[in-house]
Amino acid sequence: MEDCIMRMWRLKYDEGLLGGVSLEDDSPDRAMVLWIEFLSRCPTPCFGVFMSTVRCRIAPSPSGFLHIGTAKMALFNWLYARKMGGTFVLRLEDTDAERTDETFVKAMCEGFTWLGIDWDEGPAFGDDGPRGDFGPYRQSERKVFHQEAGQKLLAENKAYRCFCTREELEVEREAAQREKRHRNKCACRNLDAAAAEQRKDEHHTVRFKVPEGHTEVADMVQGTVRTENRELDDFVILKPNGDPIFHLAVVVDDALMKITHVIRGDDHLTNAARHVLLFDALGYERPQFAHLPMVLDETGKKFSKRLHGANVLDWRDDGYLPEALINYVALLGWTPAEENRELFTIEELQEAFDPTRWSKSAARFDRKKFDWLNGQHIRSLAPSVLQERIVAILADAGFDTAQKDDAWFATLTEVCQEKLATLNQIVGLSDFFFNEIAEYEAKPVKKHWRADGAVELMTQLIGRMEGVKDWNRDPLKDAYKALGEEIGVGLGKLVHPTRLALTGKSVGPGLFELAELLGKETCLARMRQGLAYIETSLCDEGANAS
RNA sequence: GGCCCCAUCGUCUAGGCUGGUCUAGGACACCGCCCUUUCACGGCGGCGACACGGGUUCAAAUCCCGUUGGGGCUACCA
């Protein structure tokens, strides 16, 4: 098999049809994946086989919001489809009516929209109608297909009606476990077809008749996984009310939607054997499978739904960029071929994404590293774009952004772009532009305003400020430098007390930049306010001491 | 319990298939220094790992077996 693949590969390679890929460098595994990729994107009949183009899908069940784990799977499917020039399909697995709610559907799609993960085919959402020729794209509207498939299996004796009660099954399940043996197939399996047909109005499920032998699933990530069929029970495919069970529904939907690559979480790895059996039994072509490890939280546990950050929109609310989240999540399970490279735009990701470099082991979500990556993305943002986002955040924070003009915000952006790890940090970096100083941080007060001569120094600084005619960062800095030289102290000695008076804090944007933005009048007023604070607190101390 | 998957610095990982070039490389974090008005950015340096035990071999992070740990499946959930 491998030889055959390599030969065909070589043939195409020699014909120059595999531009840019060197055969010699590649392992058989990689060659096989690349070959499959090649076949998939091949627009013309190839060796007598007409290969369709890549079709990937994400099939979430809308039970609340877009979970970070679902987002990873969506991302990998989407990136792969985009890389291969294929189609990305969104299908809603909303068969569990109790857990499905339209507000959930909306919330989830909002997550995708924020991330910028768009689908070529999918259900109606908002003002957009459904897209694609393989609908409907909501599983709840596809029951006829599932039932039809179930009936076909029944008719071909590949499935049977099971009249066992839950209680009976439970007893057998427990007995099997106690006696350390496999579960016995129930008697219904061998019921005469005609007899069973007569009882079809009785309460029953339809079970798939798992054949003898073993099942192999060729997985793009996990390699070939072999399962002994005796490990698989005759699983239910249709509930008593005729509704399909998940296993039947996914297989039928994936097949009918012509999905070529099923890329999903490795929690489905064991299920894949069942699915393959179903694909075969229904006469469908098997898709390629790829089972990716799931996303773990910072403690190494499965990312709980209740944890902050499980909802991708939490990250939006916390000031992270969607492109940064996509970059980070892509890195959680994929390594670029280009070594020592981690920063990717979405376009670069679509180009570089390579399924042979998908990782097999689960990765923790590391907030610190994500912070760093987000900071990198913020730095590479066009200033005008960053400005727009910053203004929105400040407005949301309740600041009166209308009082400043565009040029002012442009300067603020320029001054802060290098400092932000998250967008939201802009609030702490610029609140003093919009609000009066309510209180001064205790530590810097002690350090800079309690020193001997603080009052004199502040008085002198106020004098220098008053003397600055052209109120800009450079003249102001020059004035400060001049004073420093005259009285023989470093710039820092002048800057810190000033920063405290102007912002109430010890950290923030560059002092002279910030003073420029604040304006001369406000600066002077705050310096005088600071001076008064020093004087009164000295008085208080004096009073307390006596 | 049975079956399946996974296992390199604290974290994400390169290397593993094709054993020697790995006294194990990078990134984040941490620590130190430099730059600097603070913080951040940036630069330089440091700390830090092949889970354990057996094999195979002249040689194992790499191949094999076992153990341990983590995860999954084992539903008339998806």
Side-chain angles (χ1 to χ4, degrees):
Chain A
M1 172 67 180
E2 218 163 68
D3 275 1
C4 179
I5 286 169
M6 292 300 280
R7 260 205 310 281
M8 291 195 289
W9 168 268
R10 162 67 74 179
L11 206 64
K12 289 286 122 185
Y13 179 72
D14 291 344
E15 285 172 21
L17 290 175
L18 296 173
V21 187
S22 160
L23 180 64
E24 274 68 35
D25 294 349
D26 296 313
S27 66
D29 274 359
R30 182 174 155 77
M32 169 145 30
V33 172
L34 288 172
W35 172 245
I36 288 162
E37 280 185 29
F38 168 73
L39 287 177
S40 310
R41 77 212 293 189
C42 187
T44 52
C46 229
F47 310 109
V49 187
F50 197 97
M51 300 298 292
S52 56
T53 179
V54 165
R55 290 176 59 83
C56 298
R57 49 68 162 182
I58 181 72
S61 114
S63 54
F65 50 73
L66 180 56
H67 188 273
I68 186 79
T70 310
K72 175 185 173 178
M73 300 315 155
L75 176 64
F76 276 59
N77 276 283
W78 181 72
L79 245 22
Y80 185 68
R82 290 287 171 266
K83 159 130 190 162
M84 304 304 292
T87 305
F88 177 63
V89 178
L90 171 65
R91 180 175 76 228
L92 259 23
E93 302 215 326
D94 57 348
T95 35
D96 190 357
E98 281 169 31
R99 287 206 310 212
T100 299
D101 187 301
E102 275 319 293
T103 59
F104 293 167
V105 173
K106 240 187 117 185
M108 198 166 55
C109 290
E110 201 185 340
F112 284 127
T113 305
W114 177 66
L115 283 171
I117 293 180
D118 53 348
W119 51 95
D120 307 305
E121 297 179 15
F125 167 58
D127 297 332
D128 294 335
R131 285 194 294 270
D133 301 327
F134 297 86
Y137 292 93
R138 302 178 75 120
Q139 200 163 70
S140 57
E141 296 167 11
R142 303 179 59 83
K143 280 181 193 170
V144 273
F145 300 130
H146 310 142
Q147 282 159 351
E148 204 173 288
Q151 291 309 319
K152 181 169 182 254
L153 291 174
L154 219 38
E156 293 173 5
N157 200 25
K158 291 172 178 167
Y160 58 93
R161 299 181 201 277
C162 173
F163 301 92
C164 297
T165 63
R166 282 179 186 248
E167 292 70 29
E168 286 165 343
L169 293 166
E170 185 60 28
V171 167
E172 166 58 14
R173 202 173 2 248
E174 278 173 11
Q177 209 175 102
R178 196 169 48 240
E179 293 160 29
K180 300 186 193 300
R181 58 169 172 82
H182 288 102
R183 257 163 82 183
N184 288 136
K185 311 275 194 231
C186 68
C188 311
R189 187 180 220 253
N190 300 316
L191 230 47
D192 176 67
E197 191 62 23
Q198 285 208 323
R199 294 174 61 189
K200 72 178 184 186
D201 290 332
E202 284 179 38
H203 188 270
H204 71 277
T205 61
V206 176
R207 288 181 184 276
F208 180 65
K209 204 178 266 184
V210 172
E212 309 237 303
H214 67 268
T215 304
E216 280 186 354
V217 178
D219 192 282
M220 291 166 78
V221 176
Q222 311 286 346
T224 300
V225 180
R226 180 190 164 115
T227 306
E228 296 302 325
N229 289 359
R230 83 177 90 88
E231 302 295 340
L232 273 16
D233 289 322
D234 281 351
F235 52 94
V236 172
I237 53 178
L238 290 175
K239 299 183 197 177
N241 66 2
D243 282 355
I245 280 297
F246 161 75
H247 300 300
L248 212 222
V250 251
V251 167
V252 169
D253 292 345
D254 283 338
L256 263 31
M257 290 183 173
K258 301 269 184 268
I259 300 301
T260 59
H261 294 72
V262 172
I263 302 167
R264 53 176 18 169
D266 64 5
D267 48 337
H268 284 300
L269 187 55
T270 316
N271 288 334
R274 288 179 243 274
H275 297 170
V276 158
L277 250 19
L278 242 23
F279 273 103
D280 292 354
L282 286 163
Y284 298 142
E285 202 177 321
R286 282 144 78 143
Q288 286 290 308
F289 286 97
H291 289 92
L292 305 170
M294 297 184 287
V295 179
L296 270 23
D297 68 17
E298 298 206 65
T299 68
K301 296 267 170 232
K302 188 165 88 176
F303 216 123
S304 159
K305 278 175 93 167
R306 287 181 299 275
L307 226 52
H308 184 75
N311 182 348
V312 298
L313 292 179
D314 289 343
W315 300 103
R316 175 193 65 185
D317 298 343
D318 288 350
Y320 292 83
L321 263 23
E323 53 268 44
L325 187 57
I326 283 186
N327 190 166
Y328 183 64
V329 171
L331 252 22
L332 239 40
W334 165 75
T335 323
E338 186 182 340
E339 266 199 86
N340 305 338
R341 165 114 193 259
E342 299 194 293
L343 191 61
F344 288 86
T345 65
I346 288 171
E347 293 71 30
E348 290 167 339
L349 232 35
Q350 289 177 353
E351 179 58 33
F353 209 57
D354 172 359
T356 64
R357 298 188 66 85
W358 286 349
S359 130
K360 296 179 91 169
S361 47
R364 297 182 193 206
F365 194 103
D366 183 8
R367 171 69 183 273
K368 289 276 182 59
K369 179 139 188 179
F370 183 35
D371 278 350
W372 169 79
L373 197 60
N374 195 55
Q376 298 296 313
H377 279 276
I378 287 180
R379 245 138 268 145
S380 57
L381 235 39
S384 60
V385 175
L386 179 59
Q387 181 180 335
E388 206 175 304
R389 305 210 192 193
I390 277 176
V391 174
I393 287 171
L394 291 175
D396 275 353
F399 297 145
D400 180 13
T401 50
Q403 60 175 276
K404 315 287 187 193
D405 62 17
D406 196 61
W408 188 90
F409 279 114
T411 307
L412 178 70
T413 302
E414 172 221 320
V415 164
C416 294
Q417 185 157 21
E418 290 289 293
K419 294 181 180 297
L420 298 170
T422 70
L423 259 18
N424 288 7
Q425 286 175 354
I426 192 65
V427 174
L429 236 38
S430 61
D431 53 350
F432 52 84
F433 289 121
F434 302 92
N435 297 333
E436 290 307 313
I437 312 295
E439 58 179 347
Y440 300 103
E441 275 180 20
K443 261 193 193 168
V445 164
K446 205 171 160 188
K447 192 167 173 189
H448 305 299
W449 282 0
R450 291 287 157 79
D452 286 341
V455 170
E456 291 71 22
L457 184 61
M458 285 295 280
T459 312
Q460 274 182 303
L461 289 171
I462 291 170
R464 294 299 164 125
M465 271 189 181
E466 282 171 331
V468 176
K469 287 194 204 70
D470 179 22
W471 191 259
N472 277 311
R473 61 189 85 169
D474 293 330
L476 185 62
K477 190 172 185 176
D478 291 341
Y480 264 58
K481 273 187 173 163
L483 176 63
E485 278 164 27
E486 281 168 41
I487 62 175
V489 300
L491 242 199
K493 290 277 183 228
L494 311 182
V495 163
H496 296 304
T498 307
R499 173 188 299 284
L500 188 52
L502 299 188
T503 71
K505 314 176 189 195
S506 58
V507 302
L511 179 74
F512 303 109
E513 288 84 349
L514 148 192
E516 177 186 315
L517 282 166
L518 215 41
K520 186 171 181 178
E521 264 178 54
T522 309
C523 284
L524 283 170
R526 289 193 182 176
M527 287 299 277
R528 293 190 185 106
Q529 182 192 338
L531 181 58
Y533 177 89
I534 299 173
E535 285 168 334
T536 54
S537 65
L538 279 178
C539 262
D540 288 350
E541 261 176 33
N544 288 341
S546 59

